[in-house]
Amino acid sequence: MRYFILLFFLLVFCKAFSQEAKIEKEKWHWNNKAKQDTVAGYTQVLKVDNVLYISGAVTNDITPEGITSVYKALKASLSSYGATFENVVKENLYTTDIEAMKKYNNIRKEFYKGDFPAATWVQIERLYMPKAKLEVELIAHLPK
């Protein structure tokens, strides 16, 4: 009898402290109809709980204009869920020319207005889009 009681409490305990098998995801994509790009296989913004995972925005030119276009695209991704660069906690930057990016870093910094996230910058040989020279992805937290 005590084994049945022990088994009962074990099952109740496991159920009470187990995680949901499926997480709830909200998606936003540029065309807003499909919510994802099925050709390349991604969504621009994926929201899980109060966290936004933002796919990279790209440019073919590491110039003030090119960098500005990337951060304006990221701003649009953030605003799709009412967020701003103040909500960004992590930035991953991939470039084919780290020296050019360092030269124009002041453009990037203007978007953060002095409230910088944790950041990783990596120079790579090539991005997904063959002519792209810069891609930036973000993680942002929304208030609960």
Side-chain angles (χ1 to χ4, degrees):
M1 180 67 174
R2 70 178 162 180
Y3 290 112
F4 289 116
I5 294 172
L6 183 60
L7 181 61
F8 172 76
F9 281 114
L10 182 62
L11 290 174
V12 169
F13 180 80
C14 288
K15 179 66 175 165
F17 292 100
S18 67
Q19 294 183 356
E20 292 292 320
K22 186 175 181 181
I23 59 173
E24 188 173 321
K25 301 176 188 178
E26 291 181 42
K27 296 179 180 183
W28 179 86
H29 199 75
W30 301 112
N31 64 16
N32 265 346
K33 292 182 182 171
K35 304 282 186 189
Q36 59 189 3
D37 179 328
T38 56
V39 175
Y42 81 104
T43 187
Q44 187 60 33
V45 182
L46 180 67
K47 180 179 179 271
V48 177
D49 295 326
N50 68 324
V51 180
L52 302 179
Y53 299 91
I54 301 175
S55 295
V58 300
T59 184
N60 296 345
D61 300 307
I62 305 177
T63 61
E65 297 78 18
I67 295 166
T68 298
S69 72
V70 165
Y71 282 89
K72 282 184 176 180
L74 292 168
K75 183 178 180 180
S77 293
L78 287 163
S79 67
S80 70
Y81 283 97
T84 68
F85 281 95
E86 290 179 358
N87 298 95
V88 176
V89 296
K90 180 69 171 121
E91 173 190 81
N92 292 321
L93 183 148
Y94 306 96
T95 182
T96 58
D97 187 348
I98 198 86
E99 294 306 318
M101 191 57 215
K102 287 163 56 176
K103 178 180 176 182
Y104 298 119
N105 187 28
N106 62 311
I107 304 299
R108 167 195 167 268
K109 289 164 66 174
E110 289 175 17
F111 284 87
Y112 289 106
K113 297 179 173 45
D115 184 20
F116 305 116
T120 301
W121 289 23
V122 180
Q123 180 169 313
I124 58 171
E125 186 175 320
R126 183 179 175 271
L127 290 158
Y128 180 81
M129 296 170 58
K131 293 182 181 180
K133 295 181 180 166
L134 172 65
E135 182 167 356
V136 180
E137 64 183 18
L138 304 175
I139 299 174
H141 281 247
L142 301 173
K144 290 186 178 186

